[in-house]
Amino acid sequence: MLPGATLGLLFGVWLFQQQAQLWSLPVWLGWLAALGLVALLANSRHIGGVRLTSAVRLFCRRLGCILLVAAIGFAWAQARAAWRLQTALPQACEQQPLKIQAVIVSVPARDARGQHVDVAVERTFNAHCPLPPRLRLHLYEQSYRHAPATSRNALPLLQAGERWQFTVKLKRPHATRNPHGFDYAAWCLANQVGAAGSIVSKAPMRKLQAMVWQPAAMVAQWRALVGERIQQVLGTSPASGVLRALVIGDDSQISRADWQLFVDTGINHLISISGLHITMLAGLGYLLTGWVWRQQPRWALYVPSTLAARVGGALVAVVYSALAGFSIPTQRTLWMLLTMLGMLSLRRQFPFSWILSVALWVVVVLDPWAVLAPGFWLSFGAVALLAFGMGGRLRPPSAWRAAVHTQSMITLAFVPILILLFNQVSLVSPFANALAIPLVSLGVVPLAIAGAMLPVDALLILAAQLWQGLAWLLHWFSQLSWAVWYLPTPSLSAWLLAMLGMLVLLLPKGWPLRWFGLLLWLPLCLPAPSALKPGDMRVTVLDIGQGLSVLVQTASHAMLYDAGPVYHEDSDAGQRIVLPYLRHLGLSRLDLAVVSHDDNDHVGGMASVLAGVPATRLLSSLGADATFFEQLQAIPQAASMPHLTCQAGQHWQWDQVSFKVLYPLAQPEIPLKDNDKSCVIQVISAHGSLLLTGDIEQYGEQRLLEQSGKNLASTVMTMPHHGSKTSSSPAFVQAVKPSIAIATVGYLNRFGHPKQAVLSRYEAIDSQRYRSDQHGAVMLDFTQGNHPTVLTWRQVEPHYWD
């Protein structure tokens, strides 16, 4: 019965995490009434004059028990969420200067823009603004992208474990919201990050204490010292960044190119303090403690060697988790491992399903947000599948056959899951993991930890050399043309069929037609038929923060207009948002990529997009000396891409949908600044039209009025320059007269876009106004009538933490 109750708990907690808001008392009363009805049925012998058999009554009792546990899980998750949300930063206090006293409880991350730390708030000097207990803060040396940098000597160097007084400006956690995108706000809620913001460098900053004797501060300083030792021995090499991630859980020094290599070869789960490493090291601690105990027979009189070995393994797991800073994923693994060790130490033999169930109860009760993390399902799923696939055998296989069988089972089992979560399967992953798992877990990690803890540089150097050899092999694997397989997000029915096929494949040897399960995977591989007909159009205005990225699709073609900003040196909107969305749709190639002009918030992510999804041609208003073209030279599939200069008069047609370039003019009257060089494109379908305006300002708008006049009228328009006061002039808004106007802006952006005066102009002509910071991605289907169907992603997937 325990496994069934565990399924009920998982369902109840998962169901709560899908809610758009916390439940009210009347809803709870309805739930209780439904449970009472099930209980009544479970204890009734007759219903409507029909006698219930004992089997039916037993089924009702078990179903009632599962539903009761689900309701308890739901209620527990809601209570935890309500308590945590009570500590949220009040909206009225966002972006207000707040003086605080706090302790640095993370290893500081440093990059080109400044320093980044997590702090535990001890005191606030603003009674009207209660603060969350934990904040993520940034001390910027460069206030905004190309702004002049503050001298590094002018700002203090923040260190782990210090107590400071400073002034901060904070925002509540806010995520960009796109289909198949990462939800930063949910991550903050799960990781207890109540707000994020910047330290005001112009206000007084005072270090109160160099070392705070608190557990979190002491662990953070210990981790920082270990990280510094690794860097002193190995410098800033790629191997140093990887070893820091493996030893102290700090992956901030791993480059984006290296991360892509790990993802493409399927070993990214190893490049952190993962559950596998904790389990492996606990196993080594178990073996070592058991060996030492057996050398002293008298010790076994007081504590059995098996129990001592388990305690030793548990202590190693706790120490290694502390070295990782007790991050939330590490805590989940630690709770799971300690629960299993505890149950195995009891003087009773439990079925494995019970051990796994109790571990699930412990993890989910302590952390109800675990069900939102892919790693939670992958970890427990892997253990359950191994138990399913390796069970029912007459004799255990040899060590090498068991290893091969385990790797093949995990590879097969995770194909449908990886396609659903990440839209890709690494075909070289079985070979890469067969090398990487033993080398990293049994070689690199123990050597790196020993070298970081002991004054023996040779151990760290040997760990780095082992990693460099593995990295060379991984790079060779990744260069194979068939290394990675990208697939669109499957439908629910196709995915469930594939999961059924996976279970059939994993049945014990001897079951007939096991390989028939592969046929159930076919719906995953079949291309989804286009829902668009000739003359139709689908437009997605992505939520990428302060910037612009729009995907226009016709029946058989696709155009990407801009790709958002570079966030920092190792992250941009193209890599984090646009590219995952294109792969979610199953687009392997773009027919046209458009770069409207040379501003970071429009061109910054395009190179990352083209590195993953190449385009047949490129259209832009960029000069030959633009940095973007240097980036393209490093991308083999994009270096030879035909490039056309955007200018008025260009036009083409795809699937009975017309595309017209309206601006800039071939020969401008005066030298133009970048914004007024923006490539303006009008797209006309049978069911409405779209005007993409980039960042044109009033000069560009006036030229468009002179050249195109009444032809500017469009159903939908992206607000020029994100709703800036220098754009959307009254005459231009009246000429276009859009039914829908969309502002793509960042949450509480420093420019104050869109300006209220600009919004009023669109309101005056009865335009529907959408903002990416409030609505998320805006999806428009031009498929019927003369007005598009509009969906916003925050409307499609509302969450209580929003």
Side-chain angles (χ1 to χ4, degrees), residues 108-324:
R110 299 181 175 93
D111 58 27
R113 292 194 63 198
Q115 307 172 59
H116 317 279
V117 294
D118 289 352
V119 302
V121 178
E122 292 185 320
R123 183 183 177 192
T124 176
F125 297 86
N126 311 273
H128 64 288
C129 284
L131 296 182
R134 190 179 179 99
L135 306 174
R136 176 151 293 185
L137 298 178
H138 312 279
L139 179 59
Y140 290 117
E141 292 163 5
Q142 188 182 70
S143 61
Y144 185 74
R145 289 199 264 271
H146 303 298
T150 306
S151 169
R152 288 181 181 268
N153 296 328
L155 296 176
L157 194 64
L158 304 178
Q159 300 287 3
E162 295 177 338
R163 176 179 282 129
W164 281 83
Q165 254 185 28
F166 34 52
T167 300
V168 298
K169 288 186 177 181
L170 302 173
K171 295 180 183 178
R172 294 155 65 96
H174 184 89
T176 56
R177 293 293 306 278
N178 299 279
H180 213 67
F182 173 67
D183 193 332
Y184 172 72
W187 181 90
C188 285
L189 183 67
N191 287 269
Q192 303 179 41
V193 176
S198 59
I199 300 170
V200 181
S201 57
K202 295 181 180 179
M205 297 178 60
R206 190 156 62 101
K207 182 165 68 174
L208 303 178
Q209 195 172 341
M211 179 61 207
V212 178
W213 299 101
Q214 296 175 359
M218 293 167 63
V219 168
Q221 189 173 66
W222 175 45
R223 295 175 61 227
L225 291 172
V226 172
E228 287 170 9
R229 166 157 172 76
I230 294 172
Q231 195 159 343
Q232 286 170 1
V233 175
L234 301 177
T236 56
S237 63
S240 172
V242 170
L243 292 192
R244 281 176 63 93
L246 292 172
V247 175
I248 64 171
D250 175 20
D251 58 13
S252 63
Q253 295 185 18
I254 298 178
S255 70
R256 183 166 65 179
D258 283 343
W259 269 122
Q260 192 60 49
L261 172 66
F262 306 151
V263 171
D264 288 346
T265 53
I267 68 145
N268 50 308
H269 64 100
L270 292 175
I271 313 305
S272 61
I273 298 187
S274 70
L276 178 62
H277 300 330
I278 295 175
T279 305
M280 286 286 191
L281 284 174
L284 290 176
Y286 175 94
L287 294 174
L288 181 60
T289 306
W291 179 81
V292 170
W293 220 258
R294 285 190 291 273
Q295 306 311 305
Q296 302 291 333
R298 288 180 301 173
W299 293 0
L301 296 175
Y302 303 98
V303 179
S305 59
T306 303
L307 179 59
R310 288 169 181 161
V311 172
L315 288 175
V316 169
V318 171
V319 171
Y320 189 41
S321 298
L323 199 54

Side-chain angles (χ1 to χ4, degrees), residues 294-534:
R294 285 190 291 273
Q295 306 311 305
Q296 302 291 333
R298 288 180 301 173
W299 293 0
L301 296 175
Y302 303 98
V303 179
S305 59
T306 303
L307 179 59
R310 288 169 181 161
V311 172
L315 288 175
V316 169
V318 171
V319 171
Y320 189 41
S321 298
L323 199 54
F326 287 115
S327 64
I328 296 299
T330 304
Q331 288 182 38
R332 291 172 191 149
T333 301
L334 182 62
W335 295 331
M336 174 183 176
L337 183 62
L338 293 180
T339 302
M340 289 186 167
L341 286 173
M343 290 195 69
L344 290 172
S345 300
L346 297 176
R347 294 181 178 180
R348 182 178 175 183
Q349 193 167 11
F350 294 97
F352 183 78
S353 61
W354 278 53
I355 297 175
L356 187 63
S357 294
V358 172
L360 272 164
W361 272 81
V362 171
V363 170
V364 173
V365 168
L366 290 175
D367 179 16
W369 294 276
V371 297
L372 296 174
F376 167 82
W377 298 102
L378 293 174
S379 297
F380 278 99
V383 174
L385 286 168
L386 286 175
F388 175 75
M390 300 293 284
R393 299 180 177 277
L394 297 178
R395 61 179 180 179
S398 60
W400 73 269
R401 292 191 65 176
V404 171
H405 186 55
T406 299
Q407 183 63 45
S408 62
M409 278 197 305
I410 292 296
T411 301
L412 285 173
F414 280 175
V415 166
I417 299 171
L418 293 174
I419 291 174
L420 179 69
L421 295 176
F422 307 114
N423 298 115
Q424 73 175 65
V425 174
S426 173
L427 299 181
V428 298
S429 173
F431 312 105
N433 275 285
L435 292 171
I437 288 175
L439 191 62
V440 172
S441 295
L442 299 178
V444 176
V445 172
L447 285 171
I449 291 176
M453 298 293 187
L454 303 173
V456 184
D457 294 356
L459 295 174
L460 276 174
I461 294 170
L462 179 57
Q465 289 174 342
L466 281 175
W467 171 257
Q468 287 166 353
L470 176 62
W472 182 87
L473 287 171
L474 295 176
H475 185 74
W476 182 83
F477 278 132
S478 71
Q479 296 303 306
L480 298 172
S481 59
W482 47 273
V484 186
W485 185 27
Y486 295 105
L487 287 168
T489 303
S491 65
L492 179 61
S493 58
W495 186 76
L496 290 175
L497 275 177
M499 291 297 288
L500 177 61
M502 176 266 293
L503 292 175
V504 172
L505 283 170
L506 294 182
L507 287 171
K509 188 176 181 180
W511 280 79
L513 302 176
R514 281 190 307 148
W515 293 103
F516 177 76
L518 283 176
L519 295 178
L520 299 179
W521 285 13
L522 286 179
L524 287 179
C525 311
L526 297 176
S530 174
L532 301 177
K533 303 173 185 176

Side-chain angles (χ1 to χ4, degrees), residues 174 176 542-548 719 721-724 742-749 752-755 770-774:
H174 184 89
T176 56
L542 291 168
D543 177 14
I544 47 87
Q546 185 71 16
L548 182 65
M719 292 186 193
H721 200 189
H722 319 288
S724 162
I742 303 170
T744 55
V745 293
Y747 178 65
L748 293 180
N749 64 87
H753 294 161
K755 298 295 184 180
Y770 293 94
R771 299 174 46 153
S772 58
D773 60 338
Q774 294 179 359

Side-chain angles (χ1 to χ4, degrees), residues 14-98:
W14 175 86
L15 183 63
F16 169 74
Q17 303 299 353
Q18 313 309 310
Q19 301 306 302
Q21 58 188 9
L22 301 184
W23 281 25
S24 61
L25 181 59
V27 177
W28 275 109
L29 292 175
W31 253 95
L32 291 174
L35 285 173
L37 179 62
V38 172
L40 182 63
L41 292 175
N43 291 284
S44 298
R45 294 181 177 274
H46 298 82
I47 295 181
V50 178
R51 181 178 176 80
L52 299 180
T53 65
S54 58
V56 171
R57 292 201 304 275
L58 178 62
F59 172 79
C60 287
R61 289 194 194 101
R62 289 182 174 175
L63 178 61
C65 180
I66 291 173
L67 289 176
L68 177 62
V69 173
I72 293 171
F74 192 106
W76 171 248
Q78 166 148 328
R80 289 289 305 276
W83 176 78
R84 189 164 290 183
L85 290 174
Q86 282 181 349
T87 65
L89 178 72
Q91 283 187 320
C93 299
E94 290 185 291
Q95 294 295 72
Q96 299 298 315
L98 305 172

Side-chain angles (χ1 to χ4, degrees), residues 530-667:
S530 174
L532 301 177
K533 303 173 185 176
D536 293 349
M537 173 172 69
R538 176 169 296 143
V539 177
T540 306
V541 182
L542 291 168
D543 177 14
I544 47 87
Q546 185 71 16
L548 182 65
S549 185
V550 182
L551 180 67
V552 181
Q553 296 171 270
T554 64
S556 58
H557 294 80
M559 176 186 83
L560 180 67
Y561 183 93
D562 288 341
V566 169
Y567 300 126
H568 54 77
E569 58 190 359
D570 280 323
S571 178
D572 60 61
Q575 167 225 0
R576 290 180 54 183
I577 297 173
V578 183
L579 190 56
Y581 180 63
L582 297 180
R583 286 179 172 157
H584 157 70
L585 296 176
L587 290 176
S588 58
R589 192 169 193 86
L590 294 166
D591 296 282
L592 178 65
V594 180
V595 176
S596 64
H597 64 297
D598 198 10
D599 265 8
N600 171 63
D601 57 336
H602 294 254
V603 68
M606 187 60 81
S608 294
V609 172
L610 297 179
V613 177
T616 302
R617 56 189 176 127
L618 174 69
L619 180 67
S620 84
S621 61
L622 276 58
D625 59 343
T627 306
F628 172 67
F629 293 116
E630 296 178 14
Q631 296 172 340
L632 288 190
Q633 293 304 314
I635 305 173
Q637 61 267 43
S640 59
M641 183 183 1
H643 173 227
L644 302 175
T645 300
C646 181
Q647 61 185 36
Q650 295 166 325
H651 61 89
W652 64 95
Q653 189 174 87
W654 291 337
D655 307 312
Q656 300 178 24
V657 176
S658 298
F659 293 75
K660 298 179 181 179
V661 177
L662 305 182
Y663 184 83
L665 306 180
Q667 296 180 337

Side-chain angles (χ1 to χ4, degrees), residues 669-716:
E669 302 168 354
I670 59 172
L672 302 177
K673 59 182 182 179
D674 279 337
N675 282 353
D676 276 322
K677 292 179 183 177
S678 293
C679 186
V680 177
I681 298 179
Q682 188 179 46
V683 189
I684 304 172
S685 75
H687 307 287
S689 54
L690 167 72
L691 188 65
L692 299 169
T693 57
D695 274 357
I696 57 169
E697 299 187 4
Q698 291 182 10
Y699 174 84
E701 293 177 354
Q702 185 61 36
R703 300 287 77 77
L704 276 167
L705 287 170
E706 293 170 0
Q707 295 294 321
S708 301
K710 295 181 179 179
N711 293 330
L712 287 173
S714 301
T715 314
V716 179

